[in-house]
Amino acid sequence: MTEIEYEPAVPADPDGEEETVIPEELAILPLRGVVVYPLTFQALNVGQPRSIQLVDDATVSKSLIGLVTSRDDEIEEPSPDDVYEVGVAATIHRMIKSPDGTIRLLVQGVERIRVEEWTAEKPYLRARVSPLPDSIEESLEVEALMRNAVDLLRRLVSLVSQLPDELLMAAINLDDPRQLVYFIATNIRMEIPDAQTILELGSVREKLLKLTNIMTKELEVLELGRKIQTEAQSEMEKMQREYFLREQMKAIQKELGEQDEQGVEVEEYRKKIAEAGMPEEAAREASRELSRMEKMPPQAAEYSVIKTYLDWLTDMPWQVATEDQLDIRHARQVLDEDHYDLEDIKDRILEYLAVRKLRMERKEEREEREPTDHIRKEREGVILCFVGPPGTGKTSLGRSVARAMGRKFIRMSLGGMRDEAEIRGHRRTYIGALPGRIIQGLKRVGTRNPVFMLDEIDKVGSDWRGDPSSALLEVLDPEQNRDFRDHYLDVPFDLSQVMFITTANMLSPIPAPLRDRMEILELDGYTEEEKVGIAQQYLLPRQIRENSLRPEEISFNDGAMRGIIRDYTREAGVRNLERQIGTVCRKVATRVAVQEGVTVHVERDDLVEYLGKPRFYFEAAERTEVPGVATGLVWTPTGGDITFVEATRMRGTRRLTLTGKLGDVMKESAQAAVSYVRSKASELGIEDDVFSKSDIHIHVPAGAVPKDGPSAGVTIATALVSLLTGRKVRADVAMTGEITLRGQVLPVGGVKQKVLAAARVGMDTVILPERNRPDLEEVPEDIRKQLRFVFAERVGDVLAAALGDGTAAAVEGGEEAQDA
């Protein structure tokens, strides 16, 4: 191993040396981490066996050796391809063997050489070389470069303690530019590629320019480091000085009987803690943190952290609560003012108020009857979950509940939330830590018993940062949330007085443990009559206000409202209905702005003028004009809807094709329907060889919308029978139900939403499974009167109602169709 010995090199005297003849072939000693220049002495350590043998042979024969630098100093034994081509011929002046077997050399560079051809690699490297004498220019520029190099060396010596003053004196005494550049390059710090570049440059002038650039860059780095060190030292001295001055100020204030600002601040916090009404554990934690803050200087980083923590603790509404308005008649009036219908929801809220009113009125009576020690602390919080399609008034209902009860209202959206810390907060060890949004909301509203709405709970996500829905398990559990611990506060806060209301479009994405903690109240889509009432009582007055109209300047009759509902919107809620009403109001506002005194009464025939051509049509009659198309009822996250099942056949070999982006369950329902129809072909009047000579294709538009579930079984079977018998399905009939291979019709879910969808699109007859008969009680009475229901136990009942003359005569043991 060859390494540089860290001691200043000694310049050689070029005038005292006789001209040395360089042989054509030299033994080559590879160097690692060092470049040796001509006219300089350099100390080297040699440890590799082949290098030791080379030195022994060269010492005995007193011959020159070649020194070349390795390109990669990590390679233990560099090969010819691993070293630079330009090196230096050198003589060995001194050799000392160490006890560990290594050799210490003192070598002197003689002349630059170039490796022309490698002649041997064993026992050590040998090569044919040619000398490369330097080109020395004598000019004013070279003299100026020499002086500049010496000046830069002087600055380096002043900044680097490892460079001795003797190095500068030796450089000043050198008059030969070639010797000066090699001497300085040997003794200053530089990277191996830069050192090799100086060796390879043929002109001394270019060597001096390169050396000047390297020294200038090194000086910039060193001076910047000195500046940074000086500034840091000054800052430390400033802090120490300020610390001593503050200590002196404290001593002076103490002698004068005055109190410093920190003491005043500590006393203010002590007063806030006493007045906050915290529970015992929180008060103890606040006092402990205040004692820590009192003992540290205000400039400490931890001081501001403790101060912020105490601000949160003292500002929390530990004992602040609004008084509930328990007047049941007033609550009913407020709920009716804000929302149309929703009787089940309103009744549940009134029940809560009634129970709370009785509890407060009979509290003393209960305490007299039972010893205080045995009275269990009753839970007063309640967690409701409003589930329903968009636009049905879930979020606005929360505000109405708060207004009816006289409580403050907070809304927090959970949609897209993925970080658990949003609920529980961050621990104070993190920079910029804050409490969770539950605690933030309570502090902002300033009361411990608000109505807290958690919107879109079915859209909570989870990733590597945690699962917020799991953190909500404690928040939404009346048995646990009286001791809710936020990670930032780290003391229990009672959430049992909070009335939590959550909203969701679907129940299925909500984890079962979380769903179990809530009371589910479903808000279904509105009927046409309900939409007309909502539009006239709520939506139209709001749009009149928002568009700066007067009530007498615009009005809608019920026919116009029904026209908008039927021809321009198709939804479970009323958001699009309000948008269309707003569009009409803006067009009327434009007319009023141009001409004062305009009064517009909108009728159904005027809708095309204001809203353009209708967007929705009654498609069932058109779609079912040909055999093989049946109308089914489906449930979606936005409410009920209708869909069409299309079947066709072509020549083939019994192949079944299913399209329409169907899920696995729906594909299995289609296969079951095909198998049933094949098994009953003769009874249904289908030719025996129709299946063996045909391919059947079943398609459910729209093809881009995913569909799944078993409830389309009867619809698929009806479409197949219609196709294969050539009988058209009645255009005014819609159906739903699961099918079995034996022809039974099984019950399905979402009956109310599906029936509302059938009424919304103008259907007259709805076919339902017999076991879904009790579900009709949830359907509004006006819809039950509007539609005709057929309850089917077997597929024959469905076919009789859908393909027959409308009398639903018994087929396969079916029963009479009847109105519900």
Side-chain angles (χ1 to χ4, degrees), residues 22-28 64 117-120 126-129:
I22 299 176
E24 291 185 1
E25 186 177 3
L26 288 177
I28 302 299
L64 295 176
E117 181 183 2
W118 295 95
T119 59
R126 295 187 65 85
R128 188 168 56 82
V129 301

Side-chain angles (χ1 to χ4, degrees), residues 748-763:
V748 294
V751 170
K752 180 181 179 182
Q753 292 85 349
K754 293 176 180 179
V755 171
L756 292 177
R760 190 160 58 241
V761 299
M763 290 291 178

Side-chain angles (χ1 to χ4, degrees), residues 120-169:
E121 295 188 28
K122 301 292 184 179
Y124 41 76
L125 298 178
R126 295 187 65 85
R128 188 168 56 82
V129 301
S130 61
L132 290 176
D134 293 316
S135 173
I136 305 176
E137 303 91 341
E138 293 184 1
S139 63
L140 289 176
E141 183 182 3
V142 171
E143 184 176 351
L145 288 170
M146 290 177 61
R147 292 184 181 181
N148 188 47
V150 172
D151 185 57
L152 292 173
L153 181 63
R154 179 182 291 109
R155 292 167 61 188
L156 280 173
V157 169
S158 65
L159 291 173
V160 182
S161 58
Q162 289 87 349
L163 297 179
D165 294 338
E166 292 80 3
L167 182 67
L168 177 62
M169 296 305 299

Side-chain angles (χ1 to χ4, degrees), residues 2-77:
T2 305
E3 297 180 354
I4 184 171
E5 181 72 20
Y6 293 100
E7 61 182 35
V10 181
D13 184 3
D15 298 331
E17 295 286 338
E18 297 181 0
E19 185 176 351
T20 304
V21 178
I22 299 176
E24 291 185 1
E25 186 177 3
L26 288 177
I28 302 299
L29 178 63
L31 306 178
R32 294 168 55 203
V34 63
V35 176
V36 177
Y37 296 104
L39 307 179
T40 60
F41 288 93
Q42 185 66 269
L44 303 174
N45 284 335
V46 177
Q48 291 291 338
R50 69 175 185 176
S51 300
I52 293 174
Q53 184 175 354
L54 183 152
V55 172
D56 289 338
D57 293 348
T59 304
V60 172
S61 61
K62 297 183 179 180
S63 59
L64 295 176
I65 63 173
L67 303 177
V68 291
T69 303
S70 175
R71 299 178 188 272
D72 186 357
D73 57 6
E74 297 293 330
I75 300 176
E76 292 288 339
E77 292 189 3

Side-chain angles (χ1 to χ4, degrees), residues 424 469-486 493 495 500 514 517:
R424 288 190 174 275
S469 60
S470 299
L472 286 171
L473 292 177
E474 180 184 1
V475 175
L476 299 181
D477 190 338
E479 297 292 342
Q480 300 179 34
N481 63 11
R482 67 176 68 254
D483 293 321
F484 174 70
R485 282 182 181 268
D486 184 271
F493 189 90
L495 299 180
F500 285 103
L514 185 59
R517 284 163 166 76

Side-chain angles (χ1 to χ4, degrees), residues 480-640:
Q480 300 179 34
N481 63 11
R482 67 176 68 254
D483 293 321
F484 174 70
R485 282 182 181 268
D486 184 271
H487 286 161
Y488 182 85
L489 295 184
D490 201 26
V491 293
F493 189 90
D494 187 2
L495 299 180
S496 64
Q497 305 297 310
V498 179
M499 182 177 183
F500 285 103
I501 298 178
T502 64
T503 70
N505 295 129
M506 295 184 292
L507 277 177
S508 54
I510 305 176
L514 185 59
R515 191 165 61 241
D516 184 62
R517 284 163 166 76
M518 301 182 292
E519 183 176 341
I520 309 298
L521 299 177
E522 296 191 8
L523 285 76
D524 297 306
Y526 294 114
T527 65
E528 184 176 299
E529 290 300 322
E530 290 172 342
K531 287 184 178 181
V532 171
I534 293 171
Q536 295 287 16
Q537 297 182 34
Y538 302 98
L539 306 184
L540 180 58
R542 183 161 61 196
Q543 287 300 316
I544 289 175
R545 290 194 304 271
E546 290 184 0
N547 291 283
S548 301
L549 292 171
R550 299 189 183 99
E552 63 271 13
E553 291 175 337
I554 184 173
S555 62
F556 287 72
N557 63 16
D558 289 352
M561 286 298 182
R562 285 190 172 87
I564 296 176
I565 294 168
R566 293 177 182 177
D567 300 337
Y568 295 90
T569 66
R570 186 162 290 179
E571 57 179 344
V574 292
R575 283 202 180 119
N576 286 326
L577 175 58
E578 184 173 8
R579 292 189 185 102
Q580 299 301 328
I581 294 172
T583 300
V584 177
C585 289
R586 288 192 297 273
K587 293 185 182 297
V588 172
T590 304
R591 294 174 57 181
V592 171
V594 174
Q595 181 182 355
E596 282 287 341
V598 173
T599 300
V600 177
H601 181 69
V602 182
E603 298 184 359
R604 185 161 189 167
D605 295 338
D606 302 326
L607 295 180
V608 176
E609 176 187 351
Y610 292 108
L611 299 176
K613 64 180 182 179
R615 296 182 177 87
F616 300 99
Y617 302 90
F618 181 62
E619 297 179 279
E622 178 183 346
R623 298 288 285 270
T624 57
E625 282 183 351
V626 296
V629 181
T631 307
L633 295 172
V634 296
W635 179 91
T636 71
T638 59

Side-chain angles (χ1 to χ4, degrees), residues 318-421:
W318 298 99
Q319 302 296 332
V320 180
T322 55
E323 184 176 352
D324 287 342
Q325 295 181 14
L326 302 178
D327 187 342
I328 307 300
R329 293 185 180 85
H330 169 74
R332 165 64 76 176
Q333 179 184 350
V334 170
L335 294 174
D336 288 340
E337 287 176 359
D338 291 349
H339 289 270
Y340 185 88
D341 197 42
L342 301 178
E343 294 301 324
D344 292 341
I345 309 295
K346 295 175 182 177
D347 289 343
R348 178 62 186 88
I349 294 167
L350 295 177
E351 290 168 5
Y352 169 77
L353 293 177
V355 171
R356 185 164 178 80
K357 179 179 181 180
L358 293 177
R359 178 183 296 142
M360 295 186 66
E361 291 177 349
R362 301 175 182 181
K363 181 178 180 181
E364 295 182 0
E365 177 183 341
R366 190 170 61 256
E367 289 177 352
E368 292 177 359
R369 187 171 61 250
E370 300 180 25
T372 306
D373 296 341
H374 293 86
I375 296 179
R376 184 175 179 272
K377 185 174 182 180
E378 298 179 358
R379 92 185 174 208
E380 300 178 2
V382 62
I383 290 88
L384 302 177
C385 181
F386 297 158
V387 180
T392 52
K394 299 183 296 297
T395 303
S396 59
L397 188 59
R399 296 184 184 275
S400 300
V401 171
R403 190 162 78 90
M405 298 179 64
R407 291 191 179 190
K408 300 289 185 66
F409 178 77
I410 314 171
R411 177 186 170 274
M412 171 180 165
S413 177
L414 302 177
M417 182 181 294
R418 294 180 176 272
D419 191 354
E420 178 196 357

Side-chain angles (χ1 to χ4, degrees), residues 84-271:
Y84 290 103
E85 295 178 356
V86 177
V88 65
T91 59
I92 300 175
H93 278 267
R94 185 181 304 164
M95 181 184 73
I96 301 175
K97 289 190 175 182
S98 302
D100 59 358
T102 60
I103 296 177
R104 183 175 176 81
L105 300 178
L106 180 64
V107 299
Q108 179 188 3
V110 176
E111 185 59 88
R112 294 191 311 143
I113 60 172
R114 179 187 298 276
V115 176
E116 301 292 349
E117 181 183 2
W118 295 95
T119 59
E121 295 188 28
K122 301 292 184 179
Y124 41 76
L125 298 178
R126 295 187 65 85
R128 188 168 56 82
V129 301
S130 61
L132 290 176
D134 293 316
S135 173
I136 305 176
E137 303 91 341
E138 293 184 1
S139 63
L140 289 176
E141 183 182 3
V142 171
E143 184 176 351
L145 288 170
M146 290 177 61
R147 292 184 181 181
N148 188 47
V150 172
D151 185 57
L152 292 173
L153 181 63
R154 179 182 291 109
R155 292 167 61 188
L156 280 173
V157 169
S158 65
L159 291 173
V160 182
S161 58
Q162 289 87 349
L163 297 179
D165 294 338
E166 292 80 3
L167 182 67
L168 177 62
M169 296 305 299
I172 293 174
N173 292 328
L174 293 176
D175 297 329
D176 181 22
R178 178 168 174 251
Q179 190 173 18
L180 177 66
V181 70
Y182 286 146
F183 175 68
I184 295 177
T186 301
N187 288 284
I188 66 171
R189 177 187 177 278
M190 69 175 73
E191 300 294 332
I192 292 300
D194 292 334
Q196 181 68 24
T197 300
I198 291 177
L199 178 64
E200 292 180 359
L201 290 172
S203 169
V204 173
R205 172 182 165 277
E206 293 178 356
K207 293 178 187 289
L208 283 169
L209 284 172
K210 179 66 175 177
L211 181 64
T212 300
N213 290 335
I214 294 173
M215 295 173 70
T216 302
K217 181 179 178 182
E218 183 70 14
L219 276 171
E220 289 177 355
V221 174
L222 292 172
E223 288 174 348
L224 180 60
R226 176 68 63 87
K227 179 182 178 182
I228 293 173
Q229 183 179 4
T230 302
E231 290 177 353
Q233 184 69 27
S234 300
E235 187 66 25
M236 290 179 61
E237 292 175 355
K238 179 182 177 182
M239 291 178 63
Q240 291 176 351
R241 180 171 174 271
E242 290 177 354
Y243 174 76
F244 289 129
L245 289 175
R246 288 192 188 91
E247 292 299 317
Q248 291 176 0
M249 185 182 298
K250 287 181 182 179
I252 294 172
Q253 289 174 339
K254 185 176 181 180
E255 290 294 328
L256 295 175
E258 297 177 355
Q259 197 171 17
D260 62 341
E261 294 181 4
Q262 181 181 0
V264 173
E265 193 172 46
V266 169
E267 287 303 318
E268 287 180 357
Y269 277 113
R270 188 170 282 116
K271 182 179 179 182

